[in-house]
Amino acid sequence: MDEQQRIANFLEAETARIGLMTAAREAQLAALEERVFAAVTETLAPGSLSKPHGGFPHPWLPKTPGGSRLTRLGYVCRLQNGVTVDENRAPTASDVTRPYLRVANVQAGHVALGSVTEITVPRNMAKRSTLCIGDVLMTEGGDLDKLGRGTVWRGELPECLHQNHVFALRPEADKLDPEYLAFMTQTLHGRCYFESTGTKTTNLASTNSSKILSFPIPLPSLKRQHELVGEVRAMQDASQRTRRALNRQLSLLGERRQALITAAVTGQIDVTTARGVDAT
């Protein structure tokens, strides 16, 4: 019984210490996400962090955050609607089968292609809903904090279509950079706009094409947009390296905890001489 008590005391002390380090790393991860969000916002929409509603009063009139003129998205971008699934539609001679993106495939900041469905539709319908490289994808509904977050389509699948609950925004090439638009939806300005204009239900929220096209964005020159995109990418790359290091440390702490418990209860280590534990 004395030996069991010494083992229990040792493990209680050591696992508590590991728990404190784990909590610290998790807090660092949370702080990192907040820091990246703030940095992206200050880069693309300067000053909006210090003002209510992202620096723009409701109902989002075209004013000038950080000195950049706001432009309605619909003036520099075309919205393409997707295909509607109709299981009762009769087959036609012009039918084609194509991969198509559903809401589940469009995540915040990336496209998840682990499970892509195919759909059979008339050729003319497929032509109207085929994605092009550089399209910015947005979902019609989902969690409120993810509503309106843009993801750039890079042509990962050839001749890919999109569901009607996924909007494809096609910027005018000489006026709006798609990466800039996608990043802008992730700023405080973008979050405030979509969260305040979204239609909310008990568990989900939704938007529509008119609200998306009414999104007011700062529109510097195309050259400046490219520069800002480069700055944001550099920040995200640095934060990703830090995130990987913190997650690696969390994994090692979990392994250390399990190995310590196993070694102590199976007699692989002598807890009376282990560091941090009084041998008496």
Side-chain angles (χ1 to χ4, degrees):
M1 291 297 293
D2 290 342
E3 182 67 13
Q4 291 179 33
Q5 188 61 56
R6 281 194 292 271
I7 292 173
N9 291 341
F10 169 79
L11 289 178
E12 182 178 4
E14 291 301 303
T15 56
R17 189 165 64 89
I18 292 173
L20 289 174
M21 289 188 286
T22 298
R25 296 299 175 268
E26 290 173 343
Q28 286 178 307
L29 277 172
L32 177 64
E33 297 305 318
E34 293 178 5
R35 178 68 188 106
V36 172
F37 175 72
V40 172
T41 293
E42 279 300 302
T43 299
L44 299 182
S48 59
L49 285 172
S50 60
K51 300 176 183 179
H53 302 297
F56 310 103
H58 192 74
W60 308 91
L61 297 175
K63 296 189 178 181
T64 54
S68 296
R69 179 67 183 175
L70 288 181
T71 300
R72 184 177 180 272
L73 183 58
Y75 293 157
V76 291
C77 198
R78 182 170 69 86
L79 186 145
Q80 175 177 278
N81 290 305
V83 297
T84 301
V85 178
D86 183 4
E87 297 179 353
N88 297 320
R89 186 185 63 83
T92 68
S94 67
D95 281 359
V96 293
T97 300
R98 299 280 189 269
Y100 83 113
L101 298 184
R102 299 163 294 155
V103 171
N105 298 119
V106 182
Q107 303 293 318
H110 70 283
V111 180
L113 299 177
S115 177
V116 177
T117 304
E118 290 188 336
I119 190 171
T120 300
V121 294
R123 187 178 298 277
N124 61 344
M125 183 183 295
K127 185 177 180 180
R128 293 195 302 267
S129 299
T130 298
L131 293 172
C132 295
I133 295 175
D135 284 350
V136 179
L137 307 175
M138 291 187 186
T139 57
E140 180 183 34
D143 296 335
L144 182 61
D145 65 336
K146 296 179 177 63
L147 200 64
R149 287 193 178 181
T151 301
V152 178
W153 177 250
R154 307 182 190 281
E156 291 88 341
L157 295 173
E159 298 186 307
C160 187
L161 312 181
H162 60 105
Q163 191 183 46
N164 61 315
H165 297 301
V166 174
F167 298 115
L169 293 156
R170 193 160 297 158
E172 295 184 20
D174 60 339
K175 295 179 181 177
L176 179 62
D177 180 80
E179 296 279 357
Y180 174 80
L181 171 58
F183 284 142
M184 185 58 67
T185 66
Q186 300 172 30
T187 65
L188 180 62
H189 169 55
R191 303 315 323 132
C192 286
Y193 175 79
F194 286 105
E195 290 182 19
S196 67
T197 59
T199 301
K200 306 169 189 68
T201 61
T202 303
N203 298 316
L204 298 174
S206 64
T207 187
N208 56 46
S209 58
S210 63
K211 290 176 182 177
I212 290 176
L213 292 175
S214 295
F215 177 40
I217 60 170
L219 197 67
S221 68
L222 197 61
K223 178 182 177 182
R224 181 56 181 157
Q225 291 178 41
H226 293 159
E227 293 172 349
L228 292 170
V229 166
E231 293 177 24
V232 171
R233 281 179 177 167
M235 286 187 293
Q236 290 189 331
D237 288 343
S239 68
Q240 184 61 28
R241 290 193 295 271
T242 303
R243 189 179 297 109
R244 283 196 296 266
L246 289 171
N247 283 324
R248 175 60 177 160
Q249 290 178 17
L250 283 170
S251 177
L252 289 173
L253 284 168
E255 293 175 10
R256 170 64 177 169
R257 183 181 186 278
Q258 188 58 50
L260 200 61
I261 293 173
T262 300
V265 300
T266 58
Q268 297 176 46
I269 59 174
D270 183 359
V271 300
T272 62
T273 59
R275 185 185 60 176
V277 177
D278 191 341
T280 60

